[in-house]
Amino acid sequence: MNENKNLIFYQQAEHYTAAADISHFPKLDLPEVCFAGRSNVGKSSLINSICTKRALARTSNTPGRTQLIHFYNIQNKLFLSDLPGYGYAKAPKSKIFEWTKLMESYFKNRNNLSRVFILIDARRGIKSSDHDLMNLLNIVAVNFQCILTKIDKISSTELNEVTKNTLTQTENYAAAYPEIIKSSANKKIGIDKIHECLNLILNINDNSKKE
Ligand code: GTP
Ligand code: MG
C-alpha cells in the first residue's frame, strides 16, 4: 500500500469497546496490535496519528489518562488496543496492583495478539518498569517492538544515543524485534514506518487464512 492508501485505510478506525477486566475483552478472530508503555509516553497520541484522527483516543497532560484497555477496530481487519500507562510514581498502590492484574490477564490471554509496541519516551529512555513488561512478554512469548516517542523534543545526537541504548538494552530479549522505530505524533514522524509494520501483520494474517 502507498501512504495515501494507508491514510484512507487507517482513518477508518473506530472505537470498539473499553475493558476493565478480561470478561470485557472482545473475542476476535482478527489480528491485534497493542500500544503499551509508561504513563504519558504518548500511546493515545500515537494511535490518533496512525489513524489521522485527532480525538479517536483521549490524550492528556496528566499521567494516567487511559485507565481501561481501549480497542479500536479498523474495517474488521485489524484491531489496535490502547493500554493504560504504567510506572507512574505517584499512582496509589491499589492502582498499580489493578494495572498489573489487567495487563497480565491481557498479555496471557490475548491469543490474537500479533505484536506489542512498547513506547519509550525518547527523552527518558528505557526504565525498569519497561523491563518488567519485556520480561513478561518473553515468558508468554509475545513479540514486541520498541517505538521511541516525542523525538521532536530532542536533538539528532541525543536521538542516536537513545536509539543505541534502547537496542543494547533489548537485544537479549528473545521476544524483541531488533528494529527501533523513531516517532513523533506531533510532527507525524515515523507514522509511515508504523503503517508499513501494521500492513505486514495484515498481509501475514491474510495469507495464513488463505492456506
Ligand atoms: P496515559 O494514557 O496517561 O498513559 O498517557 P499516553 O501514553 O496515552 O500519552 P498521551 O498520548 O495522552 O500524551 C501525553 C502527553 O504527551 C500529551 O500532553 C501529548 O500532547 C504529549 N505528546 C504525545 N506525543 C507527543 C509527541 O510526539 N511530541 C510531543 N512534543 N508531545 C507529545
Ligand atoms: Mg493514553
Side-chain angles (χ1 to χ4, degrees), residues 35-49 57-68 82-86 88 119 121 123 148-153 183-189:
F35 294 78
R38 288 165 58 81
S39 218
N40 217 242
V41 288
K43 298 172 292 295
S44 302
S45 303
L46 196 63
I47 289 180
N48 287 338
S49 283
R58 285 183 68 188
T59 65
S60 166
N61 270 327
T62 322
R65 169 75 266 169
T66 311
Q67 303 218 343
L68 306 170
D82 185 10
L83 304 189
Y86 51 80
Y88 176 46
L119 276 55
D121 188 324
R123 297 168 300 178
L148 294 171
T149 61
K150 309 190 189 184
I151 67 162
D152 55 287
K153 293 267 202 183
S183 79
S184 161
N186 285 19
K187 295 264 157 55
K188 311 279 175 264
I189 302 168

Side-chain angles (χ1 to χ4, degrees), residues 53 76 87 99 108 151 171 177-179 187 196 199:
K53 280 186 164 178
N76 287 320
W99 181 90
K108 286 181 179 162
I151 67 162
E171 65 192 0
Y177 267 77
E179 189 192 9
K187 295 264 157 55
E196 250 175 59
N199 291 346

Side-chain angles (χ1 to χ4, degrees), residues 86-155:
Y86 51 80
Y88 176 46
K90 290 190 189 138
K93 282 219 165 66
S94 58
K95 264 257 127 0
I96 297 174
F97 179 71
E98 258 174 51
W99 181 90
T100 311
K101 243 179 42 189
L102 182 62
M103 291 306 104
E104 284 196 358
S105 63
Y106 176 81
F107 290 120
K108 286 181 179 162
N109 295 292
R110 214 64 198 137
N111 295 333
N112 62 328
L113 193 57
S114 295
R115 191 173 306 181
V116 176
F117 285 120
I118 301 183
L119 276 55
I120 314 271
D121 188 324
R123 297 168 300 178
R124 319 212 188 285
I126 292 192
K127 302 286 182 192
S128 67
S129 50
D130 298 313
H131 282 297
D132 291 344
L133 174 59
M134 292 173 192
N135 278 316
L136 171 66
L137 295 174
N138 241 16
I139 292 166
V140 296
V142 175
N143 291 322
F144 69 83
Q145 181 164 19
C146 292
I147 301 183
L148 294 171
T149 61
K150 309 190 189 184
I151 67 162
D152 55 287
K153 293 267 202 183
I154 58 170
S155 69

